[in-house]
Amino acid sequence: MNSRTLKRISNVRLKARSELKLDEWQQHNYYCDKNLIGCTKDQLERIDARNTTREEFIEKYERPGKPVIIQHLIDDWPAFDKWTIEKLGKKYRNQRFKVGEDDDGKSVKLKMKYFLDYALNNRDDSPLYLFESSFGEHQKKKRLIDDYDVPEYFSEDLFHLVGEHRRPPYRWWCIGPQRSGTGIHIDPLGTSAWNGLISGHKRWCIFPPSTPRELLKPTSADAPRNKDEGITWFKVIYPRTQHHSWPKEYSCIEAIQHPGEVIFVPGGYWHVVLNMDLTVAVTQNFCSSVNFPNVWTRVIRSRPKMSKKFLERLKRRRPDLARLTEKIDINGDTGPRSDTSSSSSSSSSADSSPDSADESDTESKVTAIHERPFDQGDESFVKKQRVTPLS
Ligand SMILES: O=C(O)CCC(=O)C(=O)O
Ligand SMILES: [Fe+2]
Protein backbone atom coordinates (compact mmCIF):
# COMPACT_ATOMS: atom_id res chain seq x y z
CA MET A 1 0.00 0.00 0.00
CA ASN A 2 1.12 3.48 -0.84
CA SER A 3 2.07 5.48 2.28
CA ARG A 4 -0.64 8.06 1.67
CA THR A 5 -3.18 5.24 1.37
CA LEU A 6 -1.92 3.75 4.61
CA LYS A 7 -2.38 7.04 6.42
CA ARG A 8 -5.95 7.41 5.17
CA ILE A 9 -6.71 3.77 5.93
CA SER A 10 -5.42 4.05 9.49
CA ASN A 11 -7.80 6.95 10.13
CA VAL A 12 -10.69 5.10 8.60
CA ARG A 13 -9.93 1.88 10.47
CA LEU A 14 -10.03 3.73 13.80
CA LYS A 15 -13.33 5.38 12.99
CA ALA A 16 -15.12 2.46 11.40
CA ARG A 17 -14.20 -0.09 14.05
CA SER A 18 -13.20 1.81 17.17
CA GLU A 19 -13.23 -1.43 19.16
CA LEU A 20 -10.11 -2.61 17.31
CA LYS A 21 -6.63 -1.25 17.85
CA LEU A 22 -4.69 -0.74 14.65
CA ASP A 23 -2.50 -3.78 15.31
CA GLU A 24 -5.56 -5.98 15.83
CA TRP A 25 -6.82 -5.81 12.26
CA GLN A 26 -4.57 -8.72 11.34
CA GLN A 27 -4.44 -10.59 14.63
CA HIS A 28 -5.95 -13.82 13.31
CA ASN A 29 -3.81 -14.10 10.22
CA TYR A 30 -6.80 -15.05 8.08
CA TYR A 31 -4.80 -13.76 5.14
CA CYS A 32 -2.82 -16.99 5.37
CA ASP A 33 -5.88 -19.19 5.80
CA LYS A 34 -6.66 -20.29 2.29
CA ASN A 35 -9.32 -22.83 3.35
CA LEU A 36 -11.83 -20.09 3.94
CA ILE A 37 -11.76 -18.80 0.42
CA GLY A 38 -10.83 -22.06 -1.26
CA CYS A 39 -14.22 -23.66 -0.71
CA THR A 40 -16.06 -24.91 -3.77
CA LYS A 41 -19.20 -26.35 -2.18
CA ASP A 42 -22.18 -25.19 -4.16
CA GLN A 43 -25.65 -26.71 -3.93
CA LEU A 44 -27.94 -23.91 -4.92
CA GLU A 45 -30.26 -24.49 -7.83
CA ARG A 46 -29.59 -22.50 -11.02
CA ILE A 47 -32.10 -21.34 -13.59
CA ASP A 48 -31.48 -19.82 -16.99
CA ALA A 49 -33.25 -16.51 -17.56
CA ARG A 50 -33.28 -17.18 -21.30
CA ASN A 51 -35.87 -19.89 -20.83
CA THR A 52 -37.63 -18.76 -17.65
CA THR A 53 -40.34 -16.13 -17.95
CA ARG A 54 -41.06 -13.58 -15.23
CA GLU A 55 -44.31 -15.42 -14.42
CA GLU A 56 -42.46 -18.72 -14.06
CA PHE A 57 -39.85 -17.16 -11.79
CA ILE A 58 -42.57 -15.70 -9.57
CA GLU A 59 -44.57 -18.91 -9.34
CA LYS A 60 -41.64 -21.27 -8.83
CA TYR A 61 -39.32 -19.17 -6.68
CA GLU A 62 -40.66 -15.87 -5.40
CA ARG A 63 -44.08 -17.09 -4.23
CA PRO A 64 -42.82 -20.23 -2.50
CA GLY A 65 -39.85 -18.26 -1.10
CA LYS A 66 -37.11 -20.39 -2.65
CA PRO A 67 -33.57 -19.07 -2.98
CA VAL A 68 -32.12 -19.56 -6.46
CA ILE A 69 -29.30 -18.36 -8.69
CA ILE A 70 -30.31 -16.95 -12.04
CA GLN A 71 -27.91 -17.11 -14.94
CA HIS A 72 -27.99 -14.92 -18.05
CA LEU A 73 -30.32 -12.40 -16.44
CA ILE A 74 -27.95 -9.45 -16.60
CA ASP A 75 -25.77 -10.37 -19.59
CA ASP A 76 -26.56 -7.09 -21.30
CA TRP A 77 -25.60 -4.77 -18.43
CA PRO A 78 -23.04 -2.09 -19.41
CA ALA A 79 -21.55 -2.68 -15.93
CA PHE A 80 -19.53 -5.64 -17.22
CA ASP A 81 -17.59 -3.22 -19.37
CA LYS A 82 -17.76 -0.14 -17.13
CA TRP A 83 -17.03 -1.58 -13.69
CA THR A 84 -13.55 -2.98 -14.19
CA ILE A 85 -11.24 -1.96 -11.36
CA GLU A 86 -9.15 0.05 -13.79
CA LYS A 87 -12.08 2.04 -15.18
CA LEU A 88 -13.66 2.61 -11.78
CA GLY A 89 -10.31 3.83 -10.49
CA LYS A 90 -10.21 6.41 -13.24
CA LYS A 91 -13.82 7.52 -13.43
CA TYR A 92 -14.42 7.80 -9.66
CA ARG A 93 -10.83 8.41 -8.58
CA ASN A 94 -11.48 11.29 -6.18
CA GLN A 95 -15.08 10.46 -5.29
CA ARG A 96 -15.64 9.44 -1.68
CA PHE A 97 -17.55 6.23 -1.01
CA LYS A 98 -18.90 4.81 2.22
CA VAL A 99 -16.75 2.08 3.78
CA GLY A 100 -18.23 2.01 7.27
CA GLU A 101 -19.87 3.97 10.06
CA ASP A 102 -18.42 5.66 13.11
CA ASP A 103 -19.71 5.34 16.67
CA ASP A 104 -22.25 8.09 16.05
CA GLY A 105 -23.65 6.39 12.99
CA LYS A 106 -22.00 8.81 10.61
CA SER A 107 -20.73 7.46 7.31
CA VAL A 108 -17.00 6.85 7.10
CA LYS A 109 -15.90 7.55 3.56
CA LEU A 110 -12.80 7.03 1.50
CA LYS A 111 -11.72 8.20 -1.93
CA MET A 112 -11.92 5.49 -4.58
CA LYS A 113 -8.19 5.68 -5.34
CA TYR A 114 -7.26 4.87 -1.74
CA PHE A 115 -9.89 2.20 -1.37
CA LEU A 116 -8.74 0.31 -4.46
CA ASP A 117 -5.09 0.43 -3.39
CA TYR A 118 -6.18 -0.96 -0.01
CA ALA A 119 -8.53 -3.54 -1.54
CA LEU A 120 -5.73 -5.01 -3.62
CA ASN A 121 -2.93 -4.80 -1.07
CA ASN A 122 -4.22 -5.39 2.47
CA ARG A 123 -3.83 -8.37 4.79
CA ASP A 124 -6.64 -7.51 7.21
CA ASP A 125 -8.62 -10.38 8.70
CA SER A 126 -11.93 -8.78 7.74
CA PRO A 127 -11.17 -5.89 5.42
CA LEU A 128 -13.21 -2.72 5.00
CA TYR A 129 -16.03 -3.18 2.50
CA LEU A 130 -17.21 -0.40 0.18
CA PHE A 131 -21.00 -0.45 0.56
CA GLU A 132 -22.65 2.64 -0.88
CA SER A 133 -26.39 3.15 -0.85
CA SER A 134 -26.70 6.82 -1.61
CA PHE A 135 -25.02 6.92 -5.01
CA GLY A 136 -28.35 7.88 -6.59
CA GLU A 137 -28.26 11.23 -4.80
CA HIS A 138 -24.80 12.36 -5.91
CA GLN A 139 -24.02 14.35 -8.99
CA LYS A 140 -21.08 12.15 -10.01
CA LYS A 141 -21.73 8.80 -8.36
CA LYS A 142 -25.22 8.59 -9.80
CA ARG A 143 -23.69 7.70 -13.15
CA LEU A 144 -23.51 4.18 -11.75
CA ILE A 145 -27.27 3.93 -12.25
CA ASP A 146 -26.84 4.04 -16.03
CA ASP A 147 -24.70 0.90 -15.94
CA TYR A 148 -27.36 -1.57 -14.81
CA ASP A 149 -31.10 -2.19 -14.99
CA VAL A 150 -33.38 -3.77 -12.44
CA PRO A 151 -34.15 -7.18 -13.99
CA GLU A 152 -37.74 -7.79 -15.11
CA TYR A 153 -38.20 -10.48 -12.46
CA PHE A 154 -37.82 -7.83 -9.77
CA SER A 155 -39.47 -4.90 -11.46
CA GLU A 156 -42.34 -4.51 -9.03
CA ASP A 157 -41.27 -1.92 -6.48
CA LEU A 158 -44.06 -0.87 -4.14
CA PHE A 159 -41.90 1.36 -1.91
CA HIS A 160 -41.49 3.56 -4.97
CA LEU A 161 -45.00 4.75 -4.18
CA VAL A 162 -43.92 6.59 -1.02
CA GLY A 163 -41.34 8.66 -2.90
CA GLU A 164 -37.60 8.57 -3.27
CA HIS A 165 -36.92 10.63 -0.15
CA ARG A 166 -39.24 8.78 2.15
CA ARG A 167 -38.58 5.20 1.14
CA PRO A 168 -36.04 3.11 3.08
CA PRO A 169 -32.61 2.66 1.46
CA TYR A 170 -32.97 0.03 -1.23
CA ARG A 171 -29.93 -0.16 -3.47
CA TRP A 172 -26.28 -0.72 -2.66
CA TRP A 173 -23.23 -0.69 -4.84
CA CYS A 174 -20.46 -2.82 -3.38
CA ILE A 175 -16.77 -3.46 -3.82
CA GLY A 176 -15.53 -6.20 -1.53
CA PRO A 177 -11.86 -7.02 -1.02
CA GLN A 178 -10.96 -10.67 -0.56
CA ARG A 179 -12.07 -11.88 2.93
CA SER A 180 -14.49 -8.98 3.41
CA GLY A 181 -18.12 -9.89 3.78
CA THR A 182 -21.44 -9.54 5.48
CA GLY A 183 -22.24 -11.21 8.80
CA ILE A 184 -25.28 -13.42 9.26
CA HIS A 185 -28.54 -11.44 9.04
CA ILE A 186 -32.07 -11.21 7.71
CA ASP A 187 -32.78 -8.30 5.42
CA PRO A 188 -34.80 -5.43 6.86
CA LEU A 189 -38.58 -4.97 6.78
CA GLY A 190 -39.30 -8.41 5.38
CA THR A 191 -37.97 -7.36 1.99
CA SER A 192 -36.48 -9.79 -0.51
CA ALA A 193 -33.24 -9.09 -2.32
CA TRP A 194 -31.40 -9.75 -5.53
CA ASN A 195 -27.63 -9.43 -5.83
CA GLY A 196 -25.96 -9.19 -9.24
CA LEU A 197 -22.26 -10.03 -9.32
CA ILE A 198 -20.11 -8.31 -11.94
CA SER A 199 -16.71 -9.71 -11.02
CA GLY A 200 -15.14 -11.98 -8.43
CA HIS A 201 -16.79 -14.73 -6.39
CA LYS A 202 -19.03 -14.67 -3.34
CA ARG A 203 -19.48 -17.53 -0.92
CA TRP A 204 -23.01 -17.66 0.51
CA CYS A 205 -24.64 -19.68 3.28
CA ILE A 206 -28.42 -19.38 3.52
CA PHE A 207 -30.78 -20.71 6.20
CA PRO A 208 -34.55 -20.97 6.43
CA PRO A 209 -36.42 -18.25 8.35
CA SER A 210 -37.30 -20.68 11.15
CA THR A 211 -33.64 -21.23 12.10
CA PRO A 212 -33.12 -20.06 15.71
CA ARG A 213 -30.91 -17.00 15.90
CA GLU A 214 -29.00 -18.53 18.86
CA LEU A 215 -27.75 -21.26 16.56
CA LEU A 216 -26.59 -18.87 13.89
CA LYS A 217 -25.13 -15.85 15.62
CA PRO A 218 -21.57 -15.83 16.91
CA THR A 219 -21.36 -14.45 20.45
CA SER A 220 -18.74 -12.17 21.97
CA ALA A 221 -17.36 -15.25 23.67
CA ASP A 222 -16.98 -16.96 20.29
CA ALA A 223 -15.17 -14.00 18.82
CA PRO A 224 -14.30 -11.04 21.00
CA ARG A 225 -14.76 -7.82 19.00
CA ASN A 226 -15.33 -9.71 15.76
CA LYS A 227 -18.65 -11.47 16.18
CA ASP A 228 -20.42 -9.67 13.36
CA GLU A 229 -17.84 -10.17 10.65
CA GLY A 230 -18.68 -12.48 7.75
CA ILE A 231 -15.32 -14.26 7.97
CA THR A 232 -15.83 -14.91 11.69
CA TRP A 233 -19.07 -16.67 10.91
CA PHE A 234 -17.32 -18.99 8.48
CA LYS A 235 -14.61 -19.71 11.05
CA VAL A 236 -16.85 -20.21 14.08
CA ILE A 237 -20.36 -21.21 13.05
CA TYR A 238 -19.93 -22.86 9.67
CA PRO A 239 -18.09 -25.92 11.05
CA ARG A 240 -21.01 -26.52 13.46
CA THR A 241 -23.45 -26.52 10.54
CA GLN A 242 -21.47 -29.38 8.98
CA HIS A 243 -21.54 -31.55 12.11
CA HIS A 244 -23.99 -34.47 12.22
CA SER A 245 -25.63 -32.95 15.29
CA TRP A 246 -26.78 -29.84 13.36
CA PRO A 247 -30.58 -30.08 12.97
CA LYS A 248 -31.54 -31.25 9.48
CA GLU A 249 -34.43 -28.82 9.23
CA TYR A 250 -31.95 -25.94 9.49
CA SER A 251 -29.52 -27.26 6.91
CA CYS A 252 -27.19 -24.77 5.34
CA ILE A 253 -27.76 -23.95 1.69
CA GLU A 254 -24.33 -23.22 0.26
CA ALA A 255 -23.49 -21.45 -2.95
CA ILE A 256 -20.59 -19.88 -4.78
CA GLN A 257 -21.87 -16.99 -6.86
CA HIS A 258 -19.90 -16.45 -10.07
CA PRO A 259 -19.59 -13.32 -12.20
CA GLY A 260 -22.75 -12.72 -14.20
CA GLU A 261 -24.96 -14.61 -11.75
CA VAL A 262 -27.82 -13.08 -9.80
CA ILE A 263 -28.82 -14.58 -6.49
CA PHE A 264 -32.39 -14.25 -5.21
CA VAL A 265 -32.75 -14.15 -1.40
CA PRO A 266 -36.42 -14.36 -0.34
CA GLY A 267 -37.55 -12.22 2.60
CA GLY A 268 -36.98 -13.76 6.03
CA TYR A 269 -34.04 -16.00 5.07
CA TRP A 270 -30.82 -15.77 7.08
CA HIS A 271 -27.72 -15.28 4.96
CA VAL A 272 -24.00 -14.62 5.31
CA VAL A 273 -21.49 -13.75 2.60
CA LEU A 274 -17.73 -13.90 2.16
CA ASN A 275 -15.95 -12.27 -0.78
CA MET A 276 -13.53 -14.96 -2.03
CA ASP A 277 -11.63 -12.48 -4.17
CA LEU A 278 -12.15 -8.84 -5.11
CA THR A 279 -15.84 -8.50 -6.01
CA VAL A 280 -17.94 -5.81 -7.63
CA ALA A 281 -21.70 -6.16 -7.23
CA VAL A 282 -24.97 -4.33 -6.99
CA THR A 283 -27.85 -5.41 -4.77
CA GLN A 284 -31.39 -4.17 -4.31
CA ASN A 285 -34.14 -4.96 -1.85
CA PHE A 286 -37.75 -4.84 -2.84
CA CYS A 287 -41.34 -5.05 -1.72
CA SER A 288 -43.56 -6.72 -4.33
CA SER A 289 -47.16 -7.84 -4.15
CA VAL A 290 -45.85 -11.31 -3.27
CA ASN A 291 -43.96 -10.35 -0.10
CA PHE A 292 -46.26 -7.40 0.63
CA PRO A 293 -48.13 -8.99 3.58
CA ASN A 294 -44.90 -9.70 5.46
CA VAL A 295 -43.41 -6.34 4.61
CA TRP A 296 -46.59 -4.52 5.61
CA THR A 297 -46.56 -6.10 9.08
CA ARG A 298 -43.04 -4.91 9.66
CA VAL A 299 -43.55 -1.46 8.20
CA ILE A 300 -46.47 -0.90 10.56
CA ARG A 301 -44.37 -1.94 13.52
CA SER A 302 -41.18 -0.11 12.77
CA ARG A 303 -41.97 2.72 10.35
CA PRO A 304 -45.40 3.91 11.55
CA LYS A 305 -45.21 7.27 9.83
CA MET A 306 -44.13 5.83 6.55
CA SER A 307 -46.86 3.21 6.80
CA LYS A 308 -49.50 5.95 6.73
CA LYS A 309 -48.10 7.49 3.59
CA PHE A 310 -47.68 4.04 2.06
CA LEU A 311 -51.32 3.17 2.70
CA GLU A 312 -52.49 6.48 1.33
CA ARG A 313 -50.59 5.86 -1.91
CA LEU A 314 -51.69 2.23 -2.10
CA LYS A 315 -55.33 3.31 -1.90
CA ARG A 316 -54.83 5.36 -5.03
CA ARG A 317 -52.51 3.15 -7.00
CA ARG A 318 -53.03 -0.38 -5.64
CA PRO A 319 -56.49 -0.50 -4.07
CA ASP A 320 -56.28 -4.31 -4.07
CA LEU A 321 -53.30 -4.19 -1.69
CA ALA A 322 -54.81 -1.37 0.37
CA ARG A 323 -57.84 -3.60 0.98
CA LEU A 324 -55.55 -6.49 1.79
CA THR A 325 -53.97 -4.52 4.66
CA GLU A 326 -57.31 -4.67 6.47
CA LYS A 327 -57.07 -8.46 6.52
CA ILE A 328 -53.44 -8.70 7.62
CA ASP A 329 -53.09 -9.49 11.29
CA ILE A 330 -50.22 -7.22 12.21
CA ASN A 331 -49.90 -8.85 15.59
CA GLY A 332 -49.71 -12.28 14.08
CA ASP A 333 -46.39 -14.05 13.94
CA THR A 334 -45.12 -13.77 10.42
CA GLY A 335 -41.75 -15.31 11.07
CA PRO A 336 -38.51 -13.77 12.20
CA ARG A 337 -37.92 -10.05 11.97
CA SER A 338 -35.09 -8.61 10.05
CA ASP A 339 -32.04 -9.02 12.10
CA THR A 340 -30.26 -5.94 13.27
CA SER A 341 -28.50 -7.09 16.34
CA SER A 342 -25.16 -6.10 14.92
CA SER A 343 -26.37 -2.59 14.55
CA SER A 344 -25.11 0.02 16.90
CA SER A 345 -26.05 3.23 15.27
CA SER A 346 -28.53 5.04 13.17
CA SER A 347 -28.14 5.35 9.47
CA SER A 348 -26.02 7.98 7.84
CA SER A 349 -27.49 11.35 7.11
CA ALA A 350 -27.76 10.40 3.48
CA ASP A 351 -29.77 7.36 4.39
CA SER A 352 -32.07 8.87 6.93
CA SER A 353 -35.51 9.74 5.76
CA PRO A 354 -37.92 12.47 6.77
CA ASP A 355 -39.60 9.90 9.01
CA SER A 356 -36.88 10.27 11.56
CA ALA A 357 -39.31 9.87 14.41
CA ASP A 358 -40.22 6.42 13.22
CA GLU A 359 -39.11 3.63 15.43
CA SER A 360 -36.54 2.22 13.14
CA ASP A 361 -34.82 4.52 10.87
CA THR A 362 -32.01 2.35 12.04
CA GLU A 363 -33.55 -0.52 10.18
CA SER A 364 -31.74 0.08 6.95
CA LYS A 365 -29.82 -2.66 5.31
CA VAL A 366 -26.70 -0.62 5.73
CA THR A 367 -26.94 -0.19 9.45
CA ALA A 368 -28.33 -3.64 9.88
CA ILE A 369 -25.13 -5.16 8.70
CA HIS A 370 -22.17 -3.08 7.93
CA GLU A 371 -20.89 -1.66 11.12
CA ARG A 372 -19.41 -2.33 14.48
CA PRO A 373 -20.60 -4.99 16.86
CA PHE A 374 -22.73 -3.85 19.72
CA ASP A 375 -21.55 -5.47 22.87
CA GLN A 376 -23.83 -4.12 25.53
CA GLY A 377 -26.60 -5.70 27.54
CA ASP A 378 -30.02 -6.48 26.18
CA GLU A 379 -31.64 -3.48 27.78
CA SER A 380 -29.50 -0.93 25.97
CA PHE A 381 -29.61 -3.11 22.90
CA VAL A 382 -33.36 -2.83 22.66
CA LYS A 383 -33.32 0.87 23.40
CA LYS A 384 -30.59 1.64 21.04
CA GLN A 385 -31.75 -0.61 18.24
CA ARG A 386 -35.36 0.41 18.33
CA VAL A 387 -35.90 -2.01 15.54
CA THR A 388 -37.30 -4.97 17.39
CA PRO A 389 -40.11 -3.44 19.42
CA LEU A 390 -42.09 -6.65 19.53
CA SER A 391 -39.19 -9.00 20.12
O1 LIG B 1 -22.00 -8.82 0.98
C1 LIG B 1 -22.91 -9.15 0.21
O2 LIG B 1 -22.75 -9.23 -0.99
C2 LIG B 1 -24.26 -9.46 0.78
C3 LIG B 1 -25.00 -8.26 1.12
C4 LIG B 1 -26.27 -8.52 1.83
O3 LIG B 1 -26.70 -9.57 2.12
C5 LIG B 1 -27.05 -7.35 2.17
O4 LIG B 1 -26.59 -6.23 1.90
O5 LIG B 1 -28.14 -7.50 2.74
FE1 LIG C 1 -28.70 -9.32 3.06
Side-chain angles (χ1 to χ4, degrees):
M1 249 185 282
N2 171 303
S3 64
R4 197 175 288 209
T5 305
L6 192 55
K7 204 165 132 194
R8 299 292 188 290
I9 291 292
S10 299
N11 277 329
V12 164
R13 281 186 181 130
L14 291 169
K15 283 189 198 146
R17 290 193 63 199
S18 64
E19 73 280 6
L20 284 189
K21 298 199 192 82
L22 284 177
D23 64 0
E24 289 176 326
W25 279 73
Q26 301 170 0
Q27 61 187 327
H28 296 294
N29 250 316
Y30 290 159
Y31 170 76
C32 298
D33 191 339
K34 300 300 177 199
N35 282 339
L36 282 165
I37 49 168
C39 168
T40 54
K41 201 158 162 204
D42 188 341
Q43 314 150 320
L44 191 52
E45 181 180 350
R46 258 67 174 182
I47 57 172
D48 185 333
R50 296 171 302 187
N51 53 33
T52 310
T53 64
R54 176 170 185 267
E55 288 66 35
E56 275 170 337
F57 168 77
I58 292 173
E59 289 318 311
K60 291 199 187 135
Y61 301 94
E62 191 187 1
R63 207 175 293 288
K66 254 180 102 176
V68 67
I69 283 181
I70 307 134
Q71 296 175 317
H72 303 293
L73 185 62
I74 57 173
D75 291 353
D76 61 350
W77 278 8
F80 289 97
D81 173 48
K82 303 265 171 75
W83 295 355
T84 62
I85 295 303
E86 202 186 346
K87 288 189 185 169
L88 291 172
K90 286 197 181 130
K91 192 165 176 179
Y92 300 101
R93 185 167 184 77
N94 288 307
Q95 299 306 310
R96 288 148 42 86
F97 288 84
K98 179 169 174 174
V99 298
E101 276 179 13
D102 69 14
D103 291 344
D104 300 321
K106 202 168 154 274
S107 292
V108 176
K109 295 182 179 175
L110 194 58
K111 282 188 179 171
M112 180 63 87
K113 60 182 172 189
Y114 300 126
F115 182 76
L116 291 180
D117 183 13
Y118 166 81
L120 292 164
N121 298 299
N122 80 86
R123 295 184 175 196
D124 290 350
D125 292 330
S126 180
L128 296 160
Y129 195 171
L130 187 158
F131 224 85
E132 174 76 55
S133 77
S134 54
F135 54 92
E137 294 125 58
H138 288 89
Q139 171 89 6
K140 295 210 167 125
K141 292 188 275 184
K142 77 172 174 218
R143 291 186 290 175
L144 290 166
I145 293 174
D146 303 333
D147 300 338
Y148 75 97
D149 292 301
V150 175
E152 266 277 284
Y153 291 1
F154 311 111
S155 55
E156 206 185 3
D157 176 18
L158 296 170
F159 279 150
H160 174 73
L161 293 176
V162 302
E164 203 62 27
H165 294 290
R166 205 176 279 110
R167 69 180 302 174
Y170 64 106
R171 55 184 173 200
W172 290 265
W173 186 67
C174 332
I175 305 183
Q178 187 175 55
R179 294 182 306 287
S180 66
T182 304
I184 189 101
H185 67 282
I186 294 173
D187 281 353
L189 293 172
T191 57
S192 307
W194 57 266
N195 185 313
L197 185 57
I198 302 304
S199 56
H201 300 79
K202 283 178 186 281
R203 182 176 175 193
W204 292 76
C205 284
I206 303 176
F207 296 86
S210 58
T211 315
R213 108 180 18 231
E214 305 72 51
L215 280 186
L216 289 179
K217 294 224 111 192
T219 63
S220 303
D222 287 326
R225 298 191 299 290
N226 281 299
K227 67 182 173 52
D228 297 312
E229 304 306 298
I231 198 159
T232 302
W233 189 92
F234 281 93
K235 267 285 181 193
V236 175
I237 307 288
Y238 176 77
R240 299 181 197 161
T241 71
Q242 302 303 296
H243 195 260
H244 60 79
S245 62
W246 185 266
K248 289 279 167 291
E249 66 266 41
Y250 308 135
S251 285
C252 174
I253 305 166
E254 284 192 65
I256 311 283
Q257 183 185 17
H258 291 255
E261 292 187 326
V262 175
I263 190 165
F264 165 62
V265 183
Y269 274 79
W270 294 95
H271 52 287
V272 52
V273 180
L274 185 67
N275 292 307
M276 303 170 80
D277 45 15
L278 181 59
T279 64
V280 179
V282 62
T283 175
Q284 290 201 187
N285 277 54
F286 61 93
C287 172
S288 67
S289 36
V290 172
N291 64 12
F292 176 77
N294 284 335
V295 175
W296 177 252
T297 309
R298 288 165 177 85
V299 168
I300 286 276
R301 288 177 190 176
S302 61
R303 299 284 303 256
K305 273 206 223 162
M306 190 190 79
S307 75
K308 289 205 181 73
K309 184 58 82 178
F310 195 20
L311 185 57
E312 185 189 306
R313 300 281 161 94
L314 286 167
K315 280 181 180 156
R316 268 194 274 154
R317 306 282 296 276
R318 289 298 304 265
D320 56 324
L321 297 177
R323 276 193 303 275
L324 183 60
T325 63
E326 292 160 23
K327 303 208 179 76
I328 298 172
D329 173 12
I330 57 160
N331 296 314
D333 182 10
T334 51
R337 301 168 313 275
S338 55
D339 182 83
T340 52
S341 61
S342 68
S343 179
S344 58
S345 55
S346 63
S347 46
S348 69
S349 50
D351 294 332
S352 62
S353 75
D355 293 318
S356 50
D358 276 10
E359 284 220 294
S360 77
D361 262 325
T362 54
E363 190 169 12
S364 74
K365 186 147 93 161
V366 181
T367 54
I369 309 155
H370 288 275
E371 75 300 52
R372 288 143 286 97
F374 190 71
D375 264 353
Q376 299 175 32
D378 275 347
E379 171 67 20
S380 49
F381 165 73
V382 171
K383 263 191 282 186
K384 183 137 191 185
Q385 299 298 317
R386 302 181 61 80
V387 289
T388 53
L390 299 183
S391 56

